[in-house]
Each structure stands twice: as structure tokens, then as C-alpha cells.
Amino acid sequence: MAPGYGISSIGQYGSDPYFMYALNSYNPNFMGSQQGAQTVQNANQYAIPQTDAASAVTNTVNTGIDPTFKGYEKDNDGISTGKVVGYGLLVAGSALACLKAYKKGDGTGIKKMLNGFKQYGQKLLGTSAKEAAEKAAGKADDAAAKISNIIKNGGKNLQEYTIQKDGMSFVIKNGKPVKIITQDKKVIDKAEDVANWVLNNPTVSDEVRNMTLAGTRLPKGVSLSYTREIADGKNLYRLTVENGQVVKASSQDKAGKWVEVTKDQFDGFIKNHAKQVKEAETLQKTFTGKKVQILKEGKLVEQTGNVQMNVRNRQLVSAKFNGKDLTTKELEALQKDFQKEISNFGHEAGSKYGLKDFEYVYRQKGGQTVRFDKYRTIKNVTSVTNKDITNASAMDNFWQKNESIKNELDNIISTGNVSSGFRVGNMTYKSDAGVVYNISGDKINSIKLDKEITLGGKTFKAGKVIDGKYLGEWRKTAEHNNDFQAVLEMLK
């Protein structure tokens, strides 16, 4: 990713377009995740998000198991922390001021943030949005509290877990950091260097050249990025939007030179220029010959004509039917009837919205990002390399340079309260019976068997990781299910 595109830390939920995905991001050191089906799941999570926050609600595959035993069935309908917060963001994607309310990471901050969403959602969509936001707030708060509880009460049985911040991961074992995983990002943006990279990476360059951008959705892994110049009185700003949110801002100085807003000033800029931000994030598109419900004598009647929609983060902001502004009731009907079309806003070719300055971002597994224009010409590449720090002296050197991070980590380890800007990755918890549980958020994803066992006619050796229907088979035995329930208690 080019400089300036990743301007917000994971903790600044209001301006970070990848917050949703960070909740389910890849943990390079998760002990049980490299085996069996879990390998596939974590490999997918390692990819930087390829759609916006709202898409995460429908695209995330959740293999977690909820407290209710479901036998053979794999629990794919449970709500994880990531899904809950994503739904809250979907309901009130425009409430930037509410997003800034998240200040504390002790299991109460998320709920405070979503309480703001409730008020906004009620004004925008009515009672249903209010109820949805309330439900999302409660679920998110519960999930956050559960994460804290297992750190507080896990003791030595909590074998290992990961705390993440700003692309760094800190592996905690027996109450102490044992590994630091940093990310080294290399940006290739000079024309000559990009040309050389393209020659040396024919597979990726061929993928980009063969992409179809004119369909109803962009190819998998590709998102739209565009820049708009928005005026605020005499001032002019350039705002770059990705995944429906402004991620970069620049202003003109007295000499007319564009100066990028710095990371520490960005949140304040977003708050103080909410009108311009909303304008930049809103996309417009006209549909011809569509049947739309229009009020006639107090009743909604279907009429055929042209409808112009203004959409921001999958929410209909305003619309015109045959040149006439729609009323609130008509907008509600339009939002419902054209849900599919509205969900595609921002996920199609930039030319469909009359955009002039736009490009596409292709995110690949491992964190590599390739940016290309409408002619499929690659403009820059960002590669990400993970570096493990395990040597004692090297770790001490890191802590000396990052004392504030060390202090926050010590606080998380001792209290279980996750500070703002930090998040918990996957965990491994060994029960008193010797079974190792792989936990992500508030879900038990799988277990590592303590002994050989036959399940559903298939034999599994000790140390094998199982999930889904085989985990259901394993739980059919009262002894095993009691052990499972005891671990669940740690998540309450």
C-alpha cells in the first residue's frame, strides 16, 4: 500500500476501513491453526480485506461452536465479535462522530460506540435499525467481556495467546511475551522499479491484465479506490476513499502545493470536516426503466421510470425518481426493494459513478497489495514481510524503543482489560483433562485431541485437530461435553 493509505491504527475504529477484518485477522503463531481444515481458514483470514465492512457480515465463514450442542452440525450461524461489530457498522455506517466514541478497550467501549449508532440508525432507517443496533451493541459488549475473562481467569491453562497492534503481534505464553512479530512493508512506486517488478512477477501481472472490471461486481480481492476534490469555503481538499471510507486527506498550502494530513491529525480532520467527508464517500448512479414505489394519495404505488440514487456505505442517502426528490417513506421502500443494487455501490467499475480519478486495489494473501488503473496498468506494489523476534536481547532492545507498548501489554496480561488500539488474536487453552482448545474471540473453533479416538467411523490420533461434525461427535460423550462446557464457562 502506498504511503498514506493506511493512516489509522487498528484502535481508531472511526477512520480505519479495515477494523472489521482486523478482528478476525491471521495470527502467524497460532499453535493449532496450521493443521487440517483450520489451515485453509487461517490462510483466508491472512488476506487483507477485499470488500468493505458491510461485506464481512455475509462473507465471513465462522467455524466457531456456540454453547448449545448441535450434534453433527457445524455452527456457522453463531455471531462472532467480528460479525457483530460489522453489523453495527452496517446499520450506522455514516455515524463518524459515534465511531470516535470508542476510547476504552475493557469490554464496555464497543457498547458505548454502538449506542451512538443506535440513535443515528433510528433517524436514518426507523425502529428496525434501532433494534438491530441495540442487539449488535449487546452482543459485541458480551464478546469483548468474554475475551477479558479468559485472560483474567485462564491461569497456566491458557497456554498461549496473541495481542496485536498496528500490524505487530505479541505472543504471550505463561504470562510473558515470548515472541514479537513485526511487519516490514516495502513500497515500490517508482516507474522503473514497478516495471521491473512486473517483469519478475508475471503471474500477478497476468492476473491483473485478465481481470474483468465491467461486471456487476469487481473481481475477488479487488476494491475501488478514488480521490475527490471537495471544497470547504475557500479551502480545497483531496479526499481518497477506500471501502466506503476516507482513508487519506490532503489540503493545499498558500503556494498551491498539496500537503497530506498527518496520521496524528487525521482523526481531528475527519471530525471537523464531516460534511466534506460525507460528500466524498457518497456515490451516485442512475438506473433507467425501473419499477419504484411512489406515494400516491398516501399509498405506495409502483411506477416505472428513472431513479437516481445517492448511496454511502450501503445506505441510501437520497434519491430522485424522474427528477423528483423522494420522500422518507419512498426512500425506505427504495432501500428495501433495491437492496442488491445498493449493496453493489462502490464494488463496481469507477466509471459507473462518473468518477475521473480512480484506481483499483488488489489485495493478496500475505498482505501484498497491487494498485492499478482502469487500463489495468500496475502503478505501485506494497509487499509485507513478517519478522520474528525471539532472542532475549533483541526483545529487550525492542521494549526499550517501545516502552509504552510494553506497559500496555503488562497491563493487559495482569488485568485482562484490552487497551484501545490493541486486540486479542487466537488462543490455545489446555483443560484439566488435557484437551487443547483453539479459541478465537468468543468462539471455540476446534480442539486438539489428548488421546486417540474413533469418531464417525474415522480414527484420529492424539494431537489431531478436529472441528465441525467431528467435534460434535466427540462431544456426544458426557465426559467430553462436560470438559467442553467447563471451557465455555471461561468465556462467560
Side-chain angles (χ1 to χ4, degrees), residues 15 115 222 224 324 373 467 482:
S15 58
N115 281 338
V222 178
L224 175 66
K324 182 181 178 181
D373 62 17
D467 63 3
N482 289 339

Side-chain angles (χ1 to χ4, degrees), residues 220-335:
K220 185 178 181 180
V222 178
S223 59
L224 175 66
S225 174
Y226 62 90
T227 300
R228 277 183 170 159
E229 292 189 3
I230 307 290
D232 178 13
K234 295 182 180 180
N235 299 317
L236 188 63
Y237 303 105
R238 279 183 179 172
L239 304 177
T240 299
V241 179
E242 284 186 21
N243 294 301
Q245 290 187 332
V246 170
V247 296
K248 179 182 178 182
S250 300
S251 61
Q252 279 186 317
D253 60 16
K254 294 181 179 179
K257 181 181 178 181
W258 289 102
V259 180
E260 185 177 331
V261 176
T262 61
K263 180 179 178 179
D264 60 337
Q265 296 175 331
F266 184 76
D267 285 349
F269 177 91
I270 292 294
K271 182 178 181 180
N272 296 328
H273 298 83
K275 181 180 179 181
Q276 288 72 35
V277 167
K278 182 176 181 179
E279 183 179 346
E281 294 174 350
T282 301
L283 291 173
Q284 185 180 98
K285 185 178 178 182
T286 299
F287 299 84
T288 60
K290 294 294 183 180
K291 294 181 179 180
V292 178
Q293 295 189 65
I294 303 298
L295 279 174
K296 291 292 182 181
E297 297 179 355
K299 295 183 178 180
L300 289 171
V301 179
E302 195 174 77
Q303 294 188 17
T304 302
N306 300 333
V307 57
Q308 181 190 81
M309 299 185 197
N310 294 305
V311 174
R312 180 177 183 237
N313 295 317
R314 290 194 171 191
Q315 294 298 332
L316 193 63
V317 176
S318 61
K320 290 184 178 182
F321 180 73
N322 291 338
K324 182 181 178 181
D325 291 330
L326 297 188
T327 65
T328 300
K329 191 171 184 178
E330 291 169 336
L331 286 174
E332 290 177 352
L334 190 67
Q335 174 84 39

Side-chain angles (χ1 to χ4, degrees), residues 148-190:
S148 293
N149 285 340
I150 195 164
I151 297 177
K152 293 176 183 177
N153 305 322
K156 291 184 178 181
N157 286 22
L158 181 56
Q159 293 186 327
E160 188 174 298
Y161 62 98
T162 302
I163 301 294
Q164 298 169 335
K165 177 180 174 62
D166 294 345
M168 298 177 289
S169 295
F170 306 93
V171 181
I172 313 300
K173 192 171 185 179
N174 296 324
K176 295 180 179 180
V178 295
K179 181 189 291 186
I180 302 169
I181 305 171
T182 61
Q183 287 188 344
D184 180 24
K185 293 186 178 182
K186 182 180 180 181
V187 179
I188 304 171
D189 54 7
K190 293 182 179 179

Side-chain angles (χ1 to χ4, degrees), residues 54-65:
S55 302
V57 179
T58 56
N59 293 344
T60 301
V61 178
N62 185 358
T63 60
I65 306 299

Side-chain angles (χ1 to χ4, degrees), residues 28-40:
N29 199 67
F30 181 33
M31 291 169 58
S33 65
Q34 304 304 315
Q35 303 183 42
Q38 198 70 10
T39 302
V40 178

Side-chain angles (χ1 to χ4, degrees), residues 110-126:
I110 294 177
K111 190 166 186 177
K112 291 178 181 177
M113 176 177 72
L114 290 173
N115 281 338
F117 290 170
K118 289 188 295 183
Q119 300 172 10
Y120 179 85
Q122 186 177 20
K123 293 179 181 178
L124 180 66
L125 296 175

